[in-house]
């Protein structure tokens, strides 16, 4: 397992637009149609990463709660599926069903979206406000596979609660740690 940290895109950055394959519906979907009325979480994830598998149940549960509060959730996989076939779109759809995702799971085949977001690892979390300005980027919480800390999602929850309550999001943010995005050669 590689321990790759987030690149920590500057706060205030406007979310780069995209239009990608939603592997759940087999149709194209874009940021404008998927964003939430109060904010949007964009999570770079993949099927095989143990760090993603570690947070998946809590991420799915969190999305169900916060989607009812106006927060959109979007998951994107940008991994090279030639060298990592377990991350292929048909298996992304299967993972989404097994994990109970209530949000789109998009496939970034060209890896251009991951590059635009300066994404580095899976999972890599970004929170944008209603105007698509970055207010949080970093870890889900302090839990990692094998470290004995319970998965809560508190870092992400605290950012979302501040956004919903219209209060400042804490600027002290820890990078996510996970597997590196599997870039094409």
């Amino acid at each position: 397992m590689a321990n790759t940290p987030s690149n920590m895109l500057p706060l205030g950055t406007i979310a780069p637009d995209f239009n990608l394959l939603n592997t759940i519906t087999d149709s194209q979907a874009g940021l404008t149609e998927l964003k939430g009325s109060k904010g949007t979480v964009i999570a770079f994830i993949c099927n095989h990463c143990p760090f993603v598998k570690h947070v998946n149940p809590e991420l799915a549960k969190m999305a169900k709660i916060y989607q009812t509060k106006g927060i959109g959730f979007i998951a994107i996989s940008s991994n090279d599926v030639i060298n990592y076939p377990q991350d292929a779109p048909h298996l992304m759809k299967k993972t989404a069903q097994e994990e109970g995702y209530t949000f789109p799971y998009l496939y970034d085949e060209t890896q251009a979206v991951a590059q635009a977001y300066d994404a580095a690892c899976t999972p890599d979390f970004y929170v944008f406000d209603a105007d698509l300005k970055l207010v949080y980027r970093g870890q889900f919480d302090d839990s990692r596979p094998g470290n004995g800390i319970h998965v809560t999602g508190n870092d992400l929850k605290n950012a979302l609660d501040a956004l919903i309550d219209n209060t400042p999001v804490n600027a002290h943010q820890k990078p996510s740690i996970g597997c590196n995005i599997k870039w094409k050669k």
Side-chain angles (χ1 to χ4, degrees):
M1 258 186 329
N3 288 334
T4 301
S6 300
N7 286 328
M8 303 300 276
L9 194 65
L11 295 174
T13 299
I14 300 297
D17 200 11
F18 54 78
N19 192 38
L20 298 170
L21 173 67
N22 181 348
T23 62
I24 298 169
T25 62
D26 295 318
S27 62
Q28 294 294 119
L31 176 59
T32 306
E33 70 190 82
L34 298 175
K35 72 181 189 121
S37 60
K38 295 201 178 197
T40 304
V41 174
I42 296 178
F44 286 86
I45 65 171
C46 69
N47 295 342
H48 83 275
C49 172
F51 292 90
V52 174
K53 289 179 177 185
H54 184 69
V55 301
N56 256 338
E58 189 62 30
L59 176 62
K61 189 165 68 172
M62 183 188 296
K64 287 177 188 169
I65 293 166
Y66 282 92
Q67 285 171 318
T68 66
K69 299 178 181 188
I71 302 295
F73 276 72
I74 303 166
I76 300 172
S77 178
S78 301
N79 278 358
D80 172 11
V81 300
I82 301 299
N83 291 306
Y84 297 87
Q86 62 270 48
D87 291 330
H90 71 284
L91 296 174
M92 291 170 60
K93 182 176 188 170
K94 181 180 176 198
T95 296
Q97 292 166 341
E98 290 172 354
E99 295 293 340
Y101 291 172
T102 56
F103 48 86
Y105 192 9
L106 310 180
Y107 176 48
D108 178 19
E109 182 176 10
T110 67
Q111 301 183 318
V113 177
Q115 291 170 347
Y117 280 79
D118 202 18
C121 61
T122 57
D124 213 347
F125 295 98
Y126 300 80
V127 178
F128 295 90
D129 67 12
D131 297 322
L132 293 175
K133 287 184 188 164
L134 185 66
V135 296
Y136 178 83
R137 73 286 192 251
Q139 69 178 9
F140 194 64
D141 59 26
D142 288 323
S143 183
R144 305 288 184 268
N147 76 357
I149 298 173
H150 182 68
V151 178
T152 62
N154 279 342
D155 289 54
L156 187 58
K157 283 181 191 175
N158 290 339
L160 294 176
D161 289 341
L163 191 59
I164 290 166
D165 295 341
N166 207 20
T167 59
V169 175
N170 186 343
H172 177 70
Q173 301 171 5
K174 296 179 187 176
S176 186
I177 299 287
C179 298
N180 63 302
I181 289 179
K182 307 309 182 209
W183 300 107
K184 295 177 180 181
K185 303 277 185 241

